[in-house]
Amino acid sequence: MSPALTSVRSFSTKGVDYNNSSAAGSPVTNTTTVNPVASKKFTYQISAAYSAKQKRFSPTTNVFHFNPYNRVQDTAKRKSRPDAGQDAFFVSRINDTGAVAAGVADGVGGYIAAGIDSADFSHTLCERIATAAHQSPTDNINAKYLMSVGYKKILEEDIIAGGASTACVGVAKSDGQLNVANLGDSGFLIIRQGKVHYISSPQTHDFNTPYQLAMIPRELLVQSRQYGGGPLSDQPSDAHVSSHSLRNGDVVVFATDGVWDNLSSQEILRIVSDEMVSGKGWIVGGEAGTVPSPQLESLTSSTEGLGLQSAVAKAVAARAKSASINTKVDGPFAKEVQKRFPSENFHGGKKDDICVVCMVVVEINRPVENSRNCFYGLI
């Protein structure tokens, strides 16, 4: 994320549930929706797409396809990281429970002035969260727990110089229950039957100052005592937590602020809808409106990266990248800058690292096969 200007969304600690009129004005920090059919079983087809701020987006190389039948190497080391700057992601099965954990993290660029690359922090955080999820003997865990375990590991191991990042962590269980802990200005949305069902809101201390997990080097702490101020350091307990009942055909998009600062939720809705309809994953028409296709499972089960989840992730990332380098069309970030700082001549998109994790929800009529795969998507 940029060290100067960050988010353009409303600065509250709650998300917006479009099916619940009280959500927009409620002061609570935990949102829960109830699953009416707990006996149904679901699987989650997931892909990620990413692009570093100074690099072109390649739909053939800047993409990851989660395949529960493959073992994927630990990418905690710099040389094996996907090329997406200080953004990071992870996807992991929660042992053999049928549940899955996924999310994104965005390194805070301001640490570069102290000679620290926050990519090390965001990447390591995702790896530690993925490991905790994969090694859990039960799916009786939640997103805030995984965030806490990952952050604690970083502080205990003391293997990086320091840094900070936002984090958005989700846990989706085989009964369709999704639990998300979001800290900072990364976030997620749920799209259902061609409409935005829920969108998270960022947590910020001030404009362009998101909540962040941090490992502050001793030297910086000493300086802050001498001169006042200092780097921010929030806790996993500060994360906004929400729970949701997913349905067949839902699409969940986790993304860093490189997406949210350049695309509105309605633009993302149009992108997702175009891909799901053209790919025959959704059917439009009739009294029910937009509904999942009977072929949804087969359309998302490809192990060669040809599933709908891959198409959606790449489409969102590509559009966000295009918007970020567009100097003529003002994106959400530019509009917020103009509102808050009228004297600033800021127009167009906001160049930033971009990371998207797309999850397509599929109801299944057979037992979920065991898997031991996880991906430490440390970008």
Side-chain angles (χ1 to χ4, degrees):
M1 69 183 61
S2 165
L5 299 172
T6 308
S7 178
V8 300
R9 302 175 301 288
S10 58
F11 303 103
S12 64
T13 60
K14 56 187 178 356
V16 180
D17 189 333
Y18 288 89
N19 284 354
N20 184 351
S21 60
S22 66
S26 170
V28 299
T29 58
N30 294 283
T31 306
T32 303
T33 55
V34 180
N35 189 348
V37 188
S39 61
K40 292 184 177 180
K41 295 296 182 182
F42 298 85
T43 189
Y44 305 97
Q45 305 296 344
I46 304 172
S47 287
Y50 46 86
S51 178
K53 177 166 56 176
Q54 303 300 336
K55 302 290 184 68
R56 291 185 176 183
F57 171 67
S58 169
T60 57
T61 59
N62 296 151
V63 62
F64 166 75
H65 314 293
F66 179 59
N67 181 355
Y69 302 100
N70 290 342
R71 297 287 295 181
V72 183
Q73 68 177 19
D74 179 347
T75 59
K77 296 181 180 180
R78 290 186 180 184
K79 63 181 181 180
S80 57
R81 292 174 186 166
D83 188 10
Q86 295 181 329
D87 280 4
F89 75 90
F90 72 95
V91 186
S92 175
R93 285 289 188 184
I94 299 179
N95 209 309
D96 293 333
T97 65
V100 65
V104 297
D106 181 3
V108 176
Y111 277 78
I112 199 67
I116 295 172
D117 185 358
S118 281
D120 291 337
F121 185 96
S122 60
H123 301 161
T124 305
L125 177 66
C126 282
E127 192 277 333
R128 298 301 183 260
I129 293 174
T131 298
H134 185 243
Q135 295 178 348
S136 174
T138 173
D139 67 354
N140 189 27
I141 56 176
N142 58 46
K144 183 180 286 189
Y145 167 79
L146 289 178
M147 185 187 295
S148 299
V149 170
Y151 182 48
K152 182 179 179 182
K153 281 285 188 180
I154 288 180
L155 298 181
E156 291 177 344
E157 293 170 346
D158 195 25
I159 61 173
I160 62 175
S165 81
T166 66
C168 184
V169 179
V171 172
K173 299 183 180 181
S174 61
D175 63 356
Q177 290 298 298
L178 172 68
N179 178 259
V180 182
N182 187 43
L183 186 136
D185 60 0
S186 292
F188 75 106
L189 59 74
I190 301 171
I191 296 176
R192 175 174 297 166
Q193 294 184 296
K195 299 178 181 179
V196 175
H197 175 71
Y198 180 92
I199 182 169
S200 62
S201 292
Q203 294 175 307
T204 63
H205 294 283
D206 200 349
F207 182 66
N208 196 49
T209 311
Y211 282 35
Q212 55 201 258
L213 303 176
M215 180 178 179
I216 305 173
R218 182 176 179 276
E219 296 78 11
L220 290 183
L221 289 175
V222 171
Q223 291 178 11
S224 66
R225 295 192 190 102
Q226 291 177 339
Y227 302 107
L232 295 169
S233 183
D234 299 292
Q235 299 298 316
S237 58
D238 297 318
H240 172 254
V241 176
S242 60
S243 295
H244 313 270
S245 296
L246 299 176
R247 297 181 184 176
N248 186 45
D250 284 358
V251 176
V252 184
V253 177
F254 299 91
T256 56
D257 70 338
V259 174
W260 308 114
D261 286 344
N262 289 296
L263 299 176
S264 69
S265 61
Q266 290 302 309
E267 288 175 306
I268 295 175
L269 170 63
R270 286 193 291 271
I271 296 167
V272 172
S273 297
D274 287 347
E275 294 298 327
M276 292 297 291
V277 172
S278 64
K280 303 186 186 307
W282 288 349
I283 299 173
V284 180
E287 295 182 359
T290 302
V291 297
S293 165
Q295 285 76 46
L296 182 62
E297 184 173 359
S298 64
L299 292 169
T300 57
S301 60
S302 170
T303 59
E304 302 300 325
L306 301 177
L308 284 174
Q309 65 276 16
S310 174
V312 171
K314 289 188 289 186
V316 174
R319 193 72 63 85
K321 184 69 173 184
S322 177
S324 74
I325 59 177
N326 189 316
T327 60
K328 297 181 179 179
V329 179
D330 290 343
F333 182 73
K335 294 176 181 178
E336 189 67 21
V337 172
Q338 294 161 14
K339 182 191 303 182
R340 290 171 171 266
F341 310 104
S343 62
E344 293 288 335
N345 187 28
F346 192 100
H347 293 281
K350 172 174 171 281
K351 292 182 180 180
D352 202 352
D353 301 326
I354 290 167
C355 184
V356 179
V357 175
C358 173
M359 174 189 296
V360 177
V361 183
V362 182
E363 184 180 349
I364 56 176
N365 297 316
R366 60 179 183 274
V368 178
E369 297 188 38
N370 289 342
S371 163
R372 298 182 180 276
N373 168 257
C374 62
F375 175 73
Y376 314 137
L378 312 177
I379 322 173

